[in-house]
Amino acid sequence: MTENTILTVKIHKIVNECDGVKTLFFNMKKGNNEYIAPKPGQFVMIWVLGVDEVPMSISGYDEHGNWAITVKNVGECTNSIHKLKIGDFIGVRGPLGNHFKIPNKKSKKIFLIGGGIGIAPLKCFATKLIEMNYKFTIIAGAKTDSDLIFIDDFQSYKKLISEYHFCTDDGSNGLKGLASDIFEQLIKDFNENEFSNIIVYSCGPEMMLYKLFQKCQKHSIEFFASLERIMRCGCGLCGLCTLDPLGLLVCKDGPIFGLNILKELKDFGKFQRDITGKKIKM
Ligand SMILES: Cc1cc2nc3c(=O)[nH]c(=O)nc-3n(C[C@H](O)[C@H](O)[C@H](O)COP(=O)(O)OP(=O)(O)OC[C@H]3O[C@@H](n4cnc5c(N)ncnc54)[C@H](O)[C@@H]3O)c2cc1C
Ligand code: FES
């Protein structure tokens, strides 16, 4: 079995995270117990029969081969995923792409910063860091109160992690502002030594990622962002997810890119491609 084999799996659990967002659980073990372990930050292509195949981050997994995806209903395929019931089948191809690398020093000040559905891969990473006894700070943002996801999960991590902050753009729950604004507030009194000990992992709306990138670049903070682009193949064949001018592919070389690559990407924070490959402004 390779990562590009499609496995047809049965959905065994569905959780409503908030209005318009559901987490689906399925088992990726084959009959002979063959099982590819995913890594936090990787994604899968989810095939809904007769509809489409779309990329989804892995939001959780365990040692028994149970994986989870957390899906926001935004269009045709995600709407079909939301209509699925326990016992229905989906096709899963993956795990695909690169992953969040665990810092080699536990003394690093780690920030996981996510906005909207971008929190999904960070939740998976948070679980791994907790397993490995790493301390870290989570900043999770959403547009409004009803869009916040994983609040109970993150509250339950509180004793195991350093800090947990949540925020909404309109201030309807938690702190008011973008996750990137909260990060700026938290580090505003840091000195150069403290900046050099920070490592930021982020995923969410690209404007938020771009703001974080600018802040991190200014203070030479280690920074990683998981990017989203429309994908057709998810495995380097179609070129739809190409990032100019380096020609890197989000599906093969990403979705996670470090600051040194991001600063070379003219597309980052500015352009994406539509389904035909035409470049459009963000
Ligand atoms: C690596 C990666 C990981 C992702 N992880 C998640 C996740 O964990 N949970 C989740 O809900 N979504 C995730 N997405 C986004 C998800 O793939 C899209 O929302 C989905 O493909 C939309 O399909 P649709 O048929 O429902 O929407 P469509 O009807 O095709 O389009 C609806 C809207 O979504 C936009 N869109 C379509 N495809 C994408 C895409 N690939 N990325 C961003 N916007 C898109 C369209 O431009 C349009 O505005 C991820 C995307 C990538 C690239
Ligand atoms: S989605 Fe086809 S090359 Fe990346």
Side-chain angles (χ1 to χ4, degrees):
M1 186 167 79
T2 72
E3 66 272 17
N4 268 313
T5 310
I6 294 189
L7 266 192
T8 306
V9 297
K10 199 190 264 188
I11 296 160
H12 65 74
K13 185 176 159 191
I14 299 175
V15 172
N16 286 316
E17 302 291 355
C18 72
D19 208 19
V21 178
K22 288 185 180 184
T23 298
L24 287 80
F25 297 81
F26 45 87
N27 192 277
M28 288 292 283
K29 241 182 199 164
K30 282 175 93 180
N32 57 4
N33 269 352
E34 203 184 339
Y35 161 58
I36 303 173
K39 293 200 166 97
Q42 288 193 292
F43 68 99
V44 283
M45 294 299 287
I46 299 291
W47 171 246
V48 183
L49 217 63
V51 186
D52 204 353
E53 199 191 23
V54 290
M56 287 290 149
S57 302
I58 298 165
S59 60
Y61 65 91
D62 67 18
E63 68 280 15
H64 306 294
N66 297 307
W67 295 13
I69 52 164
T70 301
V71 182
K72 182 170 180 177
N73 183 354
V74 296
E76 193 192 2
C77 193
T78 48
N79 188 247
S80 306
I81 295 174
H82 270 241
K83 286 185 182 147
L84 295 170
K85 306 256 177 317
I86 291 173
D88 285 344
F89 288 89
I90 47 171
V92 182
R93 186 157 58 91
L96 302 166
N98 64 0
H99 57 91
F100 293 121
K101 299 216 169 47
I102 291 166
N104 40 22
K105 283 193 205 146
K106 282 198 172 153
S107 55
K108 280 266 180 195
K109 192 156 179 53
I110 304 169
F111 286 87
L112 308 192
I113 307 177
I117 197 66
I119 297 160
L122 294 173
K123 175 168 182 265
C124 189
F125 192 39
T127 314
K128 186 78 194 168
L129 290 171
I130 289 172
E131 258 173 50
M132 297 181 69
N133 289 320
Y134 275 79
K135 293 285 179 199
F136 56 93
T137 297
I138 298 177
I139 310 174
K143 279 198 176 120
T144 188
D145 179 32
S146 55
D147 296 331
L148 277 166
I149 54 170
F150 305 139
I151 292 197
D152 292 345
D153 300 87
F154 291 152
Q155 293 283 11
S156 73
Y157 297 168
K158 250 183 155 175
K159 284 199 180 120
L160 305 167
I161 67 176
S162 305
E163 289 172 54
Y164 165 45
H165 302 271
F166 62 96
C167 56
T168 46
D169 299 0
D170 61 3
S172 51
N173 199 348
L175 301 160
K176 185 175 191 304
L178 297 177
S180 47
D181 301 332
I182 307 300
F183 174 65
E184 284 196 27
Q185 280 173 31
L186 292 177
I187 63 162
K188 74 176 182 334
D189 297 324
F190 280 28
N191 60 38
E192 291 307 313
N193 269 345
E194 287 167 304
F195 287 140
S196 65
N197 194 40
I198 296 178
I199 182 162
V200 174
Y201 301 92
S202 60
C203 186
E206 204 151 305
M207 285 308 155
M208 183 204 86
L209 299 179
Y210 194 74
K211 277 189 164 185
L212 283 172
F213 159 80
Q214 286 176 311
K215 194 79 194 165
C216 291
Q217 190 177 32
K218 183 172 167 198
H219 296 295
S220 302
I221 293 172
E222 209 173 338
F223 176 71
F224 295 91
S226 180
L227 304 188
E228 271 192 21
R229 287 296 182 274
I230 291 186
M231 290 184 179
R232 260 204 185 122
C233 69
C235 60
L237 292 175
C238 72
L240 193 59
C241 66
T242 312
L243 295 169
D244 284 340
L246 302 183
L248 294 171
L249 301 172
V250 176
C251 67
K252 283 283 283 187
D253 304 302
I256 298 150
F257 297 96
L259 192 142
N260 284 342
I261 289 186
L262 293 167
K263 71 180 184 202
E264 304 295 330
L265 295 175
K266 293 206 164 61
D267 285 359
F268 178 47
K270 296 185 180 70
F271 297 101
Q272 58 189 350
R273 288 173 197 275
D274 67 15
I275 193 71
T276 68
K278 193 176 132 199
K279 264 199 183 180
I280 46 172
K281 272 197 170 169
M282 280 187 173

